[in-house]
Amino acid sequence: MEKVYKTMRNAGAFSIAMGIIITVTGLAVGIMTIVNGAVLLKRKSEITF
């Protein structure tokens, strides 16, 4: 029975760690996308076709 509890504890800790990593990664990508979009909008007058 103790093995089941250790497995559940490890799975829970892994899930929390992965959630934090995914949240930080998503936030970083979102910020980079917003900055990139702002730069594109700022320089739209420089674009010629």
Side-chain angles (χ1 to χ4, degrees), residues 6-19:
K6 285 183 179 181
T7 302
M8 289 174 58
R9 183 189 64 202
N10 290 339
F14 178 76
S15 295
I16 290 172
M18 287 303 296

Side-chain angles (χ1 to χ4, degrees), residues 2-36:
E2 187 175 330
K3 186 176 180 180
V4 173
Y5 288 118
K6 285 183 179 181
T7 302
M8 289 174 58
R9 183 189 64 202
N10 290 339
F14 178 76
S15 295
I16 290 172
M18 287 303 296
I20 291 170
I21 290 169
I22 290 170
T23 301
V24 169
T25 303
L27 186 62
V29 170
I31 290 171
M32 288 189 308
T33 303
I34 291 170
V35 169
N36 191 29

